[in-house]
Amino acid sequence: MTAIDPVANLSALIRCPSVTPAEGGALTALEAMLKPLGFTIDRVMATEEGTPDIENLYARLGTGGPHLMFAGHTDVVPVGDESAWTHGPFSADIAGGEMYGRGAVDMKGGIACFVAAVARHIENNGPPNGSISFLITGDEEGPAINGTTKLLEWAAARGERWDACLVGEPTNPDQLGDMVKIGRRGSLSGTIAVHGVQGHAAYPHLADSPVRGILSLTQALMDPPFDGGTDNFQPSNLEVTTIDVANKAVNVIPSKASASFNIRFNDTWDADSLKAEIIARLDRAAAESPLRPGRPPVRYDLTWSERPSHVFLTRNNALIASLSCAVEAVTGREPKLSTTGGTSDARFIKDYCPVVEFGLVGQTMHMVDERVAVADLETLTQIYETFISRWFGHAAD
Ligand SMILES: [Zn+2]
């Protein structure tokens, strides 16, 4: 049977230099694995002015429900200093029990294992009692404009509906079986500009320093904490990521100062309630700035970055149990159900169906010498195969 070996699948994918936005042959290689298994395959080109065109892939096996989606990306980040790699970044060389290559763990490895798991499931049980689809983008590591969101819209417009999704991003910090992700924090960014009056540093009463204002405002954003965390999430955290004055002269009070911030927030908030809290803090600090006793309120404006990421938590027990039981059955370890880390494409998928994430060990992702233990590829394939059986078993109940 074709495609049952995750190592062969991965080496075919790694040999395709699919650095975003290049397809690099990776989707063609994937298509060659899925077609013999009976999948119907669509290659979907997404375009938007000002961004590179991106090719994506949607493949479905079966026509009825229940419908399980596997989501991921074949694009990879740049190799960096190629001469620093022990083995070529597109070589798929195996040494010391590890396969080397860009995308080995993030996340061609996850795709290679899920393909192998589906192939084995078909070999052992026949076609699934429902449908399995692959939603694979070439734009996860880039601007993510012509990727998962557009592919989901395209598929939904054709009438595709899903009951659950597994994203194959690397989720394990140290060892396979550590961690399943069942949600993600939200992310919101903004920039504050404080307007002052330029003047001589020796005559501050004739000027108005925006530096005093920006310090009071950024302090108010960082303290006190936004919350103490919730059952499923760590505390929300705001970082001031830059403060800019761009003043070269020590004897001049500048006219403007700005600062940007990013907050990773939990399910205490949504983007709107959080924006309201931030504005309230800024207004209060502007009116009562301790660094400007007796002066008028700080004059500032606030610009939000486009597209906040919304916080989400998956509460579908059949999906979570199928996955964590599969992890435990194969590895003997009970995975932690976590919502830590950055955002992922799961934040788009959650608008269509419940979504969980489990993949390889992430330690070398985006690094020189990205690599995966060959043994982990076999273990992850077994976990995915067990998950598929359990999920279709659950869904049929
Ligand atoms: Zn990734």
Side-chain angles (χ1 to χ4, degrees), residues 81-346:
D81 178 7
E82 188 160 352
S83 67
W85 285 68
T86 314
H87 298 270
F90 304 110
S91 68
D93 282 354
I94 295 177
E98 296 180 302
M99 181 182 283
Y100 285 73
R102 179 56 85 224
V105 292
D106 183 14
M107 61 159 277
K108 289 175 171 177
I111 295 174
C113 292
F114 202 83
V115 171
V118 172
R120 292 180 192 186
H121 182 83
I122 294 170
E123 189 169 72
N124 295 331
N125 308 283
N129 197 7
S131 298
I132 296 177
S133 57
F134 282 79
L135 187 115
I136 305 294
T137 171
D139 190 28
E140 200 273 341
E141 304 285 13
I145 287 169
N146 290 315
T148 297
T149 11
K150 288 204 170 150
L151 193 54
L152 284 164
E153 284 166 11
W154 171 89
R158 299 201 325 176
E160 293 290 304
R161 297 290 178 269
W162 306 275
D163 297 294
C165 174
L166 171 68
V167 174
E169 291 280 4
T171 53
N172 296 285
D174 298 309
Q175 215 185 321
L176 262 189
D178 286 340
M179 189 176 283
V180 166
K181 301 233 171 171
I182 56 164
R184 294 277 184 161
R185 290 177 296 171
S187 174
L188 176 68
S189 302
T191 298
I192 321 161
V194 170
H195 306 283
V197 175
Q198 187 176 325
H200 198 300
Y203 300 89
H205 56 290
L206 299 176
D208 182 8
S209 172
V211 175
R212 289 172 179 268
I214 204 80
L215 291 176
S216 292
L217 265 49
T218 50
Q219 171 78 22
L221 290 181
M222 292 185 285
D223 183 49
F226 282 76
D227 54 66
T230 65
D231 285 351
N232 292 292
F233 287 91
Q234 62 203 113
S236 301
N237 181 62
L238 182 144
E239 290 297 329
V240 173
T241 49
T242 180
I243 296 182
D244 301 289
V245 182
N247 178 22
K248 302 255 189 295
V250 290
N251 57 354
V252 172
I253 292 171
S255 65
K256 188 182 161 191
S258 63
S260 296
F261 61 89
N262 173 257
I263 178 163
R264 301 296 166 125
F265 60 96
N266 63 34
D267 54 353
T268 307
W269 309 92
D270 60 31
D272 289 334
S273 63
L274 192 60
K275 283 181 178 179
E277 166 68 13
I278 286 169
I279 290 167
R281 286 182 179 218
L282 292 174
D283 284 346
R284 210 157 46 230
E288 301 161 1
S289 171
L291 295 175
R292 298 161 48 92
R295 303 298 290 259
V298 177
R299 289 182 295 129
Y300 79 94
D301 36 61
L302 167 63
T303 340
W304 300 106
S305 304
E306 284 172 67
R307 300 205 305 170
S309 295
H310 297 284
V311 57
F312 75 94
L313 180 68
T314 297
R315 295 186 190 276
N316 187 296
N317 287 334
L319 176 60
I320 295 169
S322 301
L323 181 55
S324 51
C325 292
V327 171
E328 200 170 349
V330 175
T331 65
R333 309 176 65 227
E334 189 186 339
K336 188 170 168 18
L337 305 180
S338 168
T339 57
T340 54
T343 61
S344 80
D345 276 359

Side-chain angles (χ1 to χ4, degrees), residues 11-36:
S11 95
L13 290 172
I14 285 179
R15 291 198 173 110
C16 304
S18 52
V19 177
T20 330
E23 184 271 330
L27 295 179
T28 301
L30 179 59
E31 189 171 347
M33 295 169 208
L34 293 177
K35 215 165 219 156

Side-chain angles (χ1 to χ4, degrees), residues 4 8-9 28 31 46 50 52 65 79 97 128 133 143 205 218 281-282 284 297 349 351-352 374 379-380 384 387:
I4 57 166
N9 294 349
T28 301
E31 189 171 347
V79 301
S133 57
H205 56 290
T218 50
R281 286 182 179 218
L282 292 174
R284 210 157 46 230
I349 298 165
D351 294 335
Y352 295 84
V374 171
T379 305
L380 183 61
Y384 281 164
F387 164 71

